[in-house]
Amino acid sequence: MPGLDEVAIARLARARDAHLLRSLRETARRGGGLVERLGKELISLSCNDYLGLAHDPRVVAAAHQALDDYGAGAGASRLVTGSHPLYARLERLLAELKGTERALVFGSGFLANLGVIPSLVGAGDLVLADRLCHASMIDAARMSRATLDVFDHNDLVHCASLLRRERPRHGRCLIMTETVFSMDGDRAPVEELAGLARAHDAWLLTDDAHGLGVCSSRAAEIQVGTLSKAVGGYGGYVAGSACLIELLIQKAHTLIYTTGLPPATIAAAAVAVEIIRDEPELVRKPLENARVFTAALGRRPAESAIVPVVVGTAERALEASALLEEHGFLVVPIRPPSVPAGTARLRFAFSAEHDPESIARAAALLLSHGYA
Ligand SMILES: *Cc1c(COP(=O)(O)O)cnc(C)c1O
């Protein structure tokens, strides 16, 4: 077998040749939708902090206070001594916002999916996933050892036909989708999928990562989400019935065998969720800003805070991103395998902090250079 470095070098060279090499670029996020890269200040149109809550003084103050009161870390798994009293408040707020009996907080959205899905289905069961579901959902379904089948994006007819064909041959059945698709910004027909689930004796799981705080959906029996996007902090959650949560506390490995969140992170999230609950005008802004952008491009109104501008090849996406950066905007190119080959794109994510003039300027740049 070739040496480890030899294998790595060959694989990296292949990725570089295909314009698919990824790298970590140092980026310091400031408040006000701004980031700093290589000493240069840019307007970020790539962050998921849709409401600017990561820098909200009330959120930051709550984190400071918890840090002073309770220290830097949780010290153990939630099942041991890491279930800080602050969790109860955050989970009550999340359940209230999601319209469920209870909620359960995990270390991240990724960990929530990895914990929830294999706790509910296993060998002999069936998972039907929208083709564009997030990697964490697909990885979780594979980990579960259930049969994984994929239906075409937002295609209820295809989903129903898979249910008719595959459902009778399996034990339990879980349908899963995102509420707002992270790379496309469109929304799933959640109510209709919930109807299909009921009709075919299946459960529906949604991942509301990009919905909560912008255009959340509450129609699914099992609602996963994250505290790292509109909530502005870190962590993940699942909201559902009291029995579901009790089961997950017994079963979910990514809850049981990992350390609890730092108290400061929980305190920050609780205040951020209260702001989402109490400030509907703030919650409306990301979508309004996204619609300023789609209007300037002459497109259909945005369905969420995310608007993709598909440019085709990975190379072209890199060029478009570099052009915007020259003009003071940070818009990260999204390339395969995050999106299908030939659909490399700039993924614009609008926040409450952006101003319409800058948004119009970015749109004009894309139009004048033939990217949109
Ligand atoms: C971002 C994202 C996640 C991961 O959430 P983290 O809290 O960042 O781990 C999971 N699912 C979807 C759909 C996402 O967009």
Side-chain angles (χ1 to χ4, degrees):
M1 161 169 109
L4 177 59
D5 284 0
E6 222 176 304
V7 170
I9 287 165
R11 290 172 69 173
L12 290 167
R14 274 206 301 281
R16 190 175 297 109
D17 291 346
H19 303 281
L20 295 178
L21 196 66
R22 300 168 188 256
S23 61
L24 297 172
R25 296 188 55 193
E26 289 186 0
T27 310
R29 291 187 67 243
R30 309 278 179 217
L34 301 172
V35 298
E36 199 179 303
R37 261 196 181 175
L38 298 171
K40 199 173 155 195
E41 196 170 76
L42 300 166
I43 298 172
S44 172
L45 298 169
S46 277
C47 299
N48 300 320
D49 178 15
Y50 297 117
L51 302 172
L53 292 179
H55 291 84
D56 186 285
R58 295 164 290 180
V59 173
V60 175
H64 268 296
Q65 189 64 51
L67 193 58
D68 288 341
D69 290 348
Y70 306 117
S77 158
R78 291 193 64 181
L79 273 292
V80 182
T81 59
S83 206
H84 196 280
L86 285 164
Y87 271 116
R89 174 167 157 235
L90 174 57
E91 289 173 345
R92 246 194 333 272
L93 286 162
L94 285 167
E96 187 194 336
L97 203 58
K98 288 303 218 158
T100 60
E101 285 176 351
R102 282 186 69 184
L104 183 66
V105 169
F106 285 75
S108 72
F110 204 121
L111 289 172
N113 277 325
L114 287 189
V116 171
I117 294 164
S119 297
L120 301 179
V121 288
D125 298 332
L126 175 66
V127 176
L128 293 181
D130 186 284
R131 189 175 296 289
L132 297 187
C133 276
H134 191 260
S136 59
M137 306 168 83
I138 301 298
D139 287 357
R142 291 196 178 123
M143 261 173 61
S144 79
R145 303 178 194 221
T147 304
L148 171 62
D149 249 325
V150 164
F151 56 92
D152 291 338
H153 178 52
N154 280 348
D155 189 336
L156 293 164
V157 173
H158 190 208
C159 182
S161 88
L162 287 176
L163 279 165
R164 278 192 300 274
R165 197 183 75 203
E166 297 296 330
R167 179 73 192 90
R169 292 194 245 157
H170 292 88
R172 301 175 192 143
C173 176
L174 180 70
I175 300 174
M176 59 187 199
T177 189
E178 296 184 25
T179 57
V180 172
F181 284 87
S182 51
M183 294 300 145
D184 292 69
D186 57 342
R187 294 166 68 168
V190 178
E191 306 270 353
E192 291 82 351
L193 285 168
L196 269 185
R198 276 192 300 275
H200 290 268
D201 190 24
W203 300 319
L204 178 65
L205 178 150
T206 52
D207 186 334
D208 198 32
H210 296 276
L212 186 77
V214 180
C215 49
S216 190
S217 156
R218 319 201 307 176
E221 206 170 356
I222 308 155
Q223 302 180 48
V224 175
T226 179
L227 304 173
S228 59
K229 284 162 185 161
V231 179
Y234 196 67
Y237 66 87
V238 58
S241 71
C243 295
L244 169 70
I245 301 305
E246 215 41 64
L247 175 69
L248 292 173
I249 294 169
Q250 319 308 312
K251 289 279 181 190
H253 282 199
T254 57
L255 181 84
I256 301 169
Y257 300 107
T258 191
T259 300
L261 284 170
T265 302
I266 310 167
V271 170
V273 171
E274 280 175 344
I275 293 171
I276 291 172
R277 180 191 65 189
D278 296 339
E279 299 187 13
E281 308 88 78
L282 178 70
V283 167
R284 269 197 292 276
K285 277 192 189 160
L287 185 56
E288 284 171 8
N289 280 337
R291 287 180 174 172
V292 168
F293 185 67
T294 46
L297 293 182
R299 292 201 191 175
R300 278 189 293 118
E303 291 179 42
S304 72
I306 301 164
V307 181
V309 173
V310 175
V311 298
T313 64
E315 193 175 8
R316 207 164 126 78
L318 290 169
E319 284 166 8
S321 172
L323 169 81
L324 284 158
E325 188 163 336
E326 273 168 43
H327 288 83
F329 295 105
L330 177 66
V331 191
V332 174
I334 308 283
R335 295 166 284 168
S338 300
V339 292
T343 72
R345 66 196 64 185
L346 299 178
R347 172 188 176 277
F348 288 81
F350 294 95
S351 93
E353 298 182 300
H354 295 130
D355 66 277
E357 295 73 39
S358 318
I359 297 169
R361 202 152 51 78
L365 264 173
L366 292 169
L367 288 169
S368 65
H369 287 79
Y371 289 114

